[in-house]
Amino acid sequence: MDYQYIGKDIPVNDSRAKACGQLLYAADLHLSGMLYMKLFLSPVAHGIVRSLDVSKALALPGVVTVLSYENTPDVTYNRGRVRATEEAPDQETLFSRHVRFVGDRIAAVVAETPELAQKAVSLIQADIQPLLPLLTPDQALAQDARSIHEKDGVVRLPQIGYGDYASAQGEEFSHHTSSQRVSHIAMEPHCTVADYKPASDRMTVWTATQSVFGARSAIASILGMPMSHIRVIKTPMGGSFGCKQEMVLEPLAACAAKMTGRPVMLRFSRSEVMLCTMLKHPLDSHIKVKFSPQRTITGLQLSCRLDAGAYQTVSPDYADAISKKLSWVYNIPNVEYHAVSVCTNTPVSGSYRGWGGPECALIMENMMNAAARRFVMDPIELRLRNILPPYATSRINNFSLGNLPLEDALLLGRDRFGWEARKERLARQDRSGRYLRGIGMALATHTSGYFPRRGDWGTVVVKMEEDGSVHVNCNVHDHGCGEVIVFRSIVAEVLSISPDLVDLPEGDTAYNALDNGCYTSRSIYVLGRAILDASNLLLEQLKRNGSQLLGCRPEDLSHRDGALFVTKQPQRRCTYSQIAYYVADKGTEALFVSHTHVPISNPGPAAAHFAEVEVDTYTGLCRLVDYLAVHDVGKALNPALCRGQVGSALQQGLGLVFCEELKLDPKTGRAMNADMQHYHVARACDFSKIDTLFIEKPDEEGPFGAKSVGEACYVPVAPALIAAVNNALELELSDLPLDPPRILAALARKEREKEAVTP
Amino acid sequence: MNFFQPTTLPQLAQCLAEQAGPGCHLIAGCTDFLPQRNGTPWDARALISLVNLAELGQIRQENGLVSLGATCTHTQVEGHPLVRQYFPALAQACGSVGSTQIRNRGTVGGNVGNASPAGDLYPVLLVLGARGVVLSGNQAVRRLPMEQLVLPQGALALEPDEAIIAFELPVPSPGNLNAFVKLGERTHVTIAKISLSASLTLHEGRMEQVRLALGAVARRAFLSSSSSALEGKSLSKALLPELFDALSREVAASIPDRPSMPYKRQAVRGLADDLLSALLHQARDVSQQP
């Protein structure tokens, strides 16, 4: 199929503005009379504030007010809740007398300048009665985390699964995987501006959120305002990866604006982002899998423990999400899943790119790679014996996974990566030298939306202006990855106009119909389809009116480059603009379409990743040599942007596996490296060449056949890298991160074991 | 706050005489100065910028010395023909500081003057026998060996009204090899976990006058006694076990209580290996010269 705009590498819509410094992020907003808010955070991991002295802060000229648990609503809420009806533990308040981690909010200063606010914060004195901090899940579980929360300090999920693991036949194989606390490191630190007009009781909030309606709902319930009095506008976003999907800053800034009757900006420093928003969950998992003599899986039993941090927020849901992914890749007749989410006196864990998918893949793929080594089998071969066929049904939640080409991903990747040739080359490498190389791979899939969970839909208004240009209204939340240009390309493709003529502003509760926001990689699959359908409806309307104008039947008409023409007599034509004026003069209808799309499927995009890694056995440093990501995207609507997603996924995966970890002092619970000097991320120079291969077998429902890619591409990265390291070192490492000290320690351990065996 | 931009040394001396004291800072590239103040209330009373002093940005050779102006950027030093000819260690160290942007702005004077234990240039200047040239508010100039310029506890040994204006390095004798390596060099933008600098003379195939310096394992980089593992020996990779063993013991003794000690003690093996490779590489180049 020949497309004008779909499948083309069209640059991100706002790249020019970004390059020129003209894109206005929330932190660039300067409203008249705006105040600045700065938080006063708990210096201890656990305690009760006996008394709070804010007099010196208030006495500082330029300080307008101090907010604390003493003068703000004590409504308990869950920052992860998007809809007021969602069931989730309510444990958090705007400010707290009972502080539960180093970084918990006790108070906040609102002042005329950020510097004054900061200075006033340093003048606040809190007398805190320390309580015993529970810094690890083990410590917390010993007393059910009751000293942290009276209720739901520990949430044990009911057993999830199907079949009966105990009765499954086969050889049992056990494996253990753990991972650490990491920060998302989106380039843009969080910022929210709230403006409250007391006379009209109207609140406007500008924020880089993944859900304007979620933010509105949180503000409405905490401040007790009608939703119609609150308008939340999504600002340009410098990355989220989940760190901007929970309602952290919005209720605080809104509360301060309401108390002062003036606009208030709350802007986090990098350290505050790392401490006071949320982090990826520390995970501990034990998996048992039974294999038949043919090495097919007969049963799986998995038990996961998530460290939720000081508040449960989304963690129980997250633990549940891990289970959903267990029946999406391999054919497993019996599944038994147990999970517990434990509060500790540590920074809050929460949403992170992939929502359980990467955790599930980390556990499953580490296990599969370890099992392949145990069985002396090629890891691709082991997977080929166990993968689900296309159009398989997920045994959990009972829905079709779509054309899911797992086998294609494995075989195409094996060829493209030169897997067999690399294996042979590495088998011959000199193992006595300083550098050792290894290869590894992992397989995964992900969601393209919420289905079959209810509450997934997309509502779109498309209207044509008199000159033939188009406005689209849809609750879009672009994270900076470019979905806006993809949506504009979809409209442009349907109507055959330049994407430049399509305006598509992002989420705004004043103009958009209710919509959850950007979660679960749903944007392209759900909203993209809604926009496609609405554009087609507008085209129908254009043809109906064009046929009146040209004196023919609508079905006689074709369209190209902003005009309609009679297919068999192309000289009989009219432009969209002429139709727009015709419709306006007619006065009986308007050129716009309102459409709601409700998805009826949720295909899994198959992904197979392959890595070659070189380990420096003297220093423990690892270097990525080569990387291949094979992605079933249904249709790459904008291949350059899809490749961009893969690159960012690799960047985060390299960090997770090799260097990132927010370290807490084991005695005090204080973060030891909450800044970019001491928290190490993977950088551009750590990358190898990244090869990306797209499988484009169209999905039936996605726009032009497209499925999701944004989270899917992160899911298999870590286990592929880990497998390559283990292959290089002939080790079984599965506790992250594989940082240099851990690698050297493992090599030393191996050396000692070898010496013990050969006296 | 007052901002001064002297263009001559007498003007600089006058600024120092009149402004020096608490709240007065000398600035050049600001690659450390600004990040250190990020998110804190502005504390400066006076800033004296060195960047308009043309002679502080020069590299020249005279009287058997190479003089590096204090505001030469890392990029400038790394690429300078005199540096590349005589001091590959300095070129390597300057080329591995921070990122490209940092190297384009940051200066050698700032790198030493900031006196960070992980500063890359101090140990190199130390093994190369450099001296710091210091101007004082009364226009007097004094020259300090590197050990005296930075105190053992990692602070600059200067009076408030003094400024580093240059470094003077003796032109090395024929047969000199010098090199700088640091851990994690392949992953750029690292602040050195450990660095190792060396300068020695190759005489009839044997290494003499070996000076090694270890960086980032004490408050200040120091001349390493592990040089004895090389002194008088012929340069070859066969020295690795001995050099590693010596360095490892030295690192362990230097930071016995630091949690990173067990790792650094092991990983210094990679540094030793890299250093021998760099020296061997240079020795080959030297022997191939006509």
Side-chain angles (χ1 to χ4, degrees):
Chain A
M1 180 86 184
D2 241 6
Y3 293 119
Q4 272 184 292
Y5 305 108
I6 292 302
K8 306 286 194 289
D9 290 343
I10 303 172
V12 176
N13 46 295
D14 51 13
S15 52
R16 194 182 165 84
K18 278 177 185 160
C20 300
Q22 287 173 9
L23 191 64
L24 294 182
Y25 294 89
D28 297 317
L29 298 180
H30 295 288
L31 305 186
S32 166
M34 189 165 80
L35 300 169
Y36 299 84
M37 184 178 196
K38 205 75 197 165
L39 302 179
F40 175 73
L41 304 170
S42 171
V44 300
H46 201 188
I48 304 282
V49 183
R50 274 190 289 239
S51 67
L52 187 67
D53 181 1
V54 301
S55 56
K56 284 188 191 130
L58 278 171
L60 191 70
V63 170
V64 174
T65 190
V66 175
L67 288 73
S68 72
Y69 55 82
E70 290 174 341
N71 60 358
T72 55
D74 65 349
V75 177
T76 54
Y77 61 93
N78 185 315
R79 61 170 78 176
R81 182 183 285 113
V82 176
R83 286 195 344 186
T85 54
E86 263 174 69
E87 271 184 44
D90 286 319
Q91 296 176 325
E92 193 172 0
T93 51
L94 290 174
F95 300 95
S96 183
R97 179 190 294 276
H98 181 177
V99 289
R100 297 173 170 95
F101 70 103
V102 178
D104 211 354
R105 301 182 299 264
I106 297 173
V109 172
V110 180
E112 299 287 345
T113 71
E115 291 79 14
L116 277 171
Q118 179 72 59
K119 185 159 185 211
V121 162
S122 70
L123 298 175
I124 296 178
Q125 283 171 329
D127 175 19
I128 303 174
Q129 175 197 343
L131 298 174
L132 179 72
L134 308 172
L135 297 175
T136 66
D138 282 333
Q139 290 168 2
L141 277 168
Q143 54 136 295
D144 249 17
R146 268 189 302 272
S147 68
I148 305 178
H149 295 290
E150 279 172 27
K151 199 164 160 271
D152 293 331
V154 173
V155 175
R156 288 181 181 79
L157 299 192
Q159 183 182 319
I160 298 172
Y162 52 84
D164 176 27
Y165 176 76
S167 65
Q169 298 297 306
E171 183 183 342
E172 191 170 77
F173 179 77
S174 306
H175 199 255
H176 170 257
T177 284
S178 70
S179 68
Q180 74 282 31
R181 220 173 240 113
V182 307
S183 180
H184 310 69
I185 316 292
M187 282 179 78
E188 178 206 14
H190 297 58
C191 181
T192 295
V193 174
D195 184 19
Y196 179 73
K197 301 283 186 243
S200 54
D201 187 43
R202 287 297 189 279
M203 179 81 74
T204 308
V205 176
W206 291 264
T207 185
T209 177
Q210 285 182 229
S211 175
V212 288
F213 288 101
R216 186 182 71 172
S217 173
I219 294 167
S221 60
I222 294 166
L223 299 185
M225 291 176 67
M227 287 184 178
S228 59
H229 287 203
I230 305 167
R231 177 180 176 193
V232 180
I233 301 167
K234 188 229 167 235
T235 49
M237 194 186 268
S240 173
F241 312 106
C243 75
K244 290 166 186 154
Q245 79 169 64
E246 299 180 30
M247 320 315 156
V248 181
L249 284 78
E250 292 85 358
L252 293 165
C255 179
K258 192 158 185 235
M259 280 174 72
T260 58
R262 286 170 65 178
V264 174
M265 174 184 280
L266 175 59
R267 181 186 184 183
F268 276 4
S269 67
R270 176 62 63 187
S271 293
E272 286 168 329
V273 171
M274 295 170 89
L275 292 178
C276 313
T277 62
M278 59 286 216
L279 301 155
K280 190 174 190 336
H281 289 90
L283 163 77
D284 192 65
S285 71
H286 293 271
I287 189 169
K288 287 181 185 169
V289 179
K290 288 180 189 166
F291 284 94
S292 74
Q294 294 72 40
R295 305 308 181 206
T296 58
I297 301 172
T298 58
L300 173 155
Q301 186 189 57
L302 171 61
S303 135
C304 286
R305 190 180 75 186
L306 293 179
D307 182 342
Y311 299 93
Q312 286 287 359
T313 67
V314 301
S315 296
D317 210 15
Y318 210 90
D320 180 62
I322 294 175
S323 75
K324 300 288 191 296
K325 278 92 176 174
L326 286 170
S327 59
W328 287 4
V329 177
Y330 303 111
N331 181 18
I332 310 175
N334 302 286
V335 167
E336 186 182 316
Y337 177 75
H338 303 272
V340 59
S341 171
V342 188
C343 282
T344 57
N345 291 115
T346 64
V348 181
S349 307
S351 316
Y352 193 101
R353 190 179 195 175
W355 252 79
E359 285 77 5
C360 182
L362 187 68
I363 297 163
M364 284 296 286
E365 297 302 287
N366 276 352
M367 179 279 293
M368 288 296 274
N369 287 324
R373 282 189 289 274
R374 157 85 75 88
F375 301 145
V376 197
M377 265 182 87
D378 182 275
I380 299 176
E381 177 57 32
L382 180 61
R383 285 170 173 86
L384 287 169
R385 293 187 195 184
N386 283 287
I387 49 175
L388 291 168
Y391 297 100
T393 296
S394 166
R395 295 281 297 269
I396 292 177
N397 276 351
N398 194 32
F399 66 101
S400 169
L401 295 165
N403 65 14
L404 188 67
L406 292 164
E407 186 177 358
D408 292 5
L410 286 171
L411 297 182
L412 289 168
R414 182 162 77 181
D415 263 15
R416 175 103 158 199
F417 196 62
W419 177 261
E420 294 298 329
R422 277 179 209 258
K423 235 165 63 176
E424 280 174 33
R425 171 167 58 75
L426 293 176
R428 292 194 309 269
Q429 74 178 318
D430 172 14
R431 297 201 61 86
S432 66
R434 173 173 173 180
Y435 299 101
L436 289 174
R437 288 191 175 193
I439 52 173
M441 57 82 54
L443 182 68
T445 182
H446 197 63
T447 55
S448 291
Y450 278 118
F451 183 86
R453 195 164 150 174
R454 284 155 58 119
D456 202 4
W457 67 85
T459 299
V460 183
V461 172
V462 181
K463 76 181 164 106
M464 181 158 279
E465 310 303 345
E466 306 97 290
D467 63 353
S469 63
V470 172
H471 265 100
V472 181
N473 201 318
C474 179
N475 189 42
V476 170
H477 299 77
D478 193 325
H479 298 191
C481 48
E483 66 192 50
V484 165
I485 193 63
V486 176
F487 290 145
R488 280 164 51 176
S489 305
I490 290 173
V491 179
E493 186 66 47
V494 172
L495 297 175
S496 187
I497 58 174
S498 162
D500 185 48
L501 292 177
V502 183
D503 187 43
L504 194 145
E506 299 186 54
D508 183 336
T509 56
Y511 296 115
N512 294 329
L514 180 65
D515 175 283
N516 280 339
C518 183
Y519 299 111
T520 182
S521 283
R522 65 185 280 268
S523 289
I524 292 298
Y525 194 75
V526 179
L527 301 184
R529 176 59 191 255
I531 288 168
L532 174 76
D533 288 351
S535 304
N536 272 314
L537 288 170
L538 180 69
L539 183 64
E540 274 178 33
Q541 195 187 6
L542 283 169
K543 285 190 173 169
R544 187 159 40 75
N545 282 286
S547 68
Q548 293 166 10
L549 196 59
L550 292 172
C552 62
R553 296 174 306 174
E555 55 269 34
D556 296 335
L557 289 170
S558 297
H559 66 290
R560 183 82 191 179
D561 295 332
L564 296 179
F565 58 92
V566 179
T567 313
K568 289 180 178 155
Q569 296 165 280
Q571 71 281 9
R572 285 175 62 196
R573 64 195 297 277
C574 61
T575 64
Y576 292 169
S577 177
Q578 287 169 322
I579 300 170
Y581 281 110
Y582 168 77
V583 173
D585 290 342
K586 205 168 67 168
T588 53
E589 63 184 299
L591 268 187
F592 86 95
V593 167
S594 161
H595 173 70
T596 297
H597 165 67
V598 182
I600 52 164
S601 60
N602 184 1
H609 286 201
F610 302 81
E612 180 169 344
V613 163
E614 181 181 84
V615 185
D616 180 344
T617 59
Y618 287 7
T619 65
L621 285 163
C622 298
R623 181 174 71 92
L624 186 64
V625 177
D626 238 332
Y627 201 86
L628 167 66
V630 183
H631 271 276
D632 149 45
V633 289
K635 170 75 189 169
L637 302 181
N638 186 321
L641 296 184
C642 293
R643 284 193 295 273
Q645 292 278 10
V646 172
S648 81
L650 185 55
Q651 192 275 337
Q652 287 188 308
L654 283 168
L656 179 72
V657 173
F658 294 122
C659 50
E660 290 189 38
E661 179 172 21
L662 186 77
K663 292 182 180 144
L664 304 181
D665 184 304
K667 289 196 191 78
T668 64
R670 196 163 305 186
M672 302 195 288
N673 59 342
D675 60 64
M676 294 305 286
Q677 185 179 345
H678 301 99
Y679 181 95
H680 299 298
V681 298
R683 289 155 293 218
C685 53
D686 298 319
F687 279 48
S688 65
K689 183 171 87 40
I690 307 168
D691 187 15
T692 313
L693 177 67
F694 295 123
I695 299 173
E696 300 192 270
K697 283 188 176 172
D699 175 73
E700 288 79 0
E701 188 179 347
F704 301 98
K707 308 178 188 178
S708 79
V709 67
E711 293 180 293
C713 55
Y714 175 69
V715 177
V717 177
L721 294 172
I722 294 166
V725 172
N726 283 329
N727 180 245
L729 300 180
E730 298 177 328
L731 285 173
E732 291 294 346
L733 304 176
S734 54
D735 294 317
L736 295 181
L738 306 182
D739 55 11
R742 200 165 276 183
I743 289 203
L744 285 196
L747 283 170
R749 210 162 42 238
K750 187 183 169 194
E751 202 58 37
R752 281 197 301 274
E753 281 163 14
K754 219 160 52 184
E755 278 165 14
V757 175
T758 50
Chain B
M1 189 197 72
N2 290 311
F3 185 68
F4 301 91
Q5 300 185 79
T7 55
T8 64
L9 289 179
Q11 282 178 12
L12 172 59
Q14 191 188 344
C15 287
L16 289 168
E18 291 170 1
Q19 299 298 328
C24 175
H25 303 275
L26 292 170
I27 57 166
C30 289
T31 52
D32 282 320
F33 182 80
L34 287 178
Q36 281 163 3
R37 275 152 191 81
N38 199 0
T40 62
W42 189 251
D43 61 346
R45 167 177 57 80
L47 295 182
I48 304 174
S49 166
L50 302 178
V51 296
N52 284 354
L53 282 145
E55 74 175 283
L56 262 56
Q58 287 174 6
I59 300 172
R60 55 175 180 259
Q61 180 179 2
E62 52 194 10
N63 305 327
L65 293 172
V66 171
S67 161
L68 295 179
T71 61
C72 292
T73 65
H74 298 100
T75 303
Q76 188 186 349
V77 175
E78 183 197 358
H80 199 278
L82 283 173
V83 174
R84 297 191 91 82
Q85 182 184 351
Y86 295 131
F87 310 116
L90 193 56
Q92 284 154 3
C94 282
S96 68
V97 168
S99 60
T100 305
Q101 294 91 328
I102 298 286
R103 292 194 291 276
N104 284 341
R105 290 286 306 173
T107 64
V108 291
N111 189 293
V112 173
N114 209 35
S116 155
D120 285 327
L121 301 195
Y122 176 78
V124 178
L125 295 170
L126 186 62
V127 297
L128 294 174
R131 291 189 301 178
V133 184
V134 174
L135 175 76
S136 101
N138 62 12
Q139 297 206 34
V141 171
R142 59 179 182 136
R143 290 175 163 75
L144 292 173
M146 296 308 290
E147 292 96 322
Q148 290 175 27
L149 185 67
V150 179
L151 298 170
Q153 61 269 33
L156 214 55
L158 296 186
E159 298 301 320
D161 71 336
E162 286 186 313
I164 302 172
I165 55 171
F167 299 98
E168 289 176 351
L169 295 83
V171 171
S173 54
N176 174 273
L177 305 180
N178 59 76
F180 168 87
V181 291
K182 77 176 178 188
L183 188 63
E185 199 166 354
R186 279 177 312 167
T187 46
H188 300 248
V189 209
T190 32
I191 290 172
K193 277 184 188 149
I194 324 177
S195 76
L196 184 57
S197 312
S199 174
L200 56 90
T201 306
L202 210 52
H203 182 65
E204 294 175 351
R206 298 197 178 277
M207 291 180 279
E208 295 178 354
Q209 295 162 296
V210 181
R211 284 161 72 88
L212 292 184
L214 273 167
V217 288
R219 294 297 306 156
R220 182 186 71 170
F222 58 90
L223 283 177
S224 150
S225 60
S226 302
S227 53
S228 60
L230 304 180
E231 188 73 43
K233 312 243 168 74
S234 70
L235 176 59
S236 96
K237 272 287 176 87
L239 294 171
L240 176 61
E242 207 178 328
L243 179 60
F244 167 44
D245 192 47
L247 286 168
S248 184
R249 273 184 281 119
E250 215 173 351
V251 166
S254 181
I255 46 167
D257 303 325
R258 238 189 262 176
S260 61
M261 188 276 279
Y263 170 70
K264 288 188 172 181
R265 188 177 62 181
Q266 288 301 315
V268 75
R269 183 180 182 192
L271 272 188
D273 188 50
D274 288 344
L275 180 72
L276 291 172
S277 297
L279 292 171
L280 279 164
H281 188 74
Q282 262 181 53
R284 246 193 325 274
D285 286 353
V286 169
S287 68
Q288 280 166 3
Q289 274 167 13

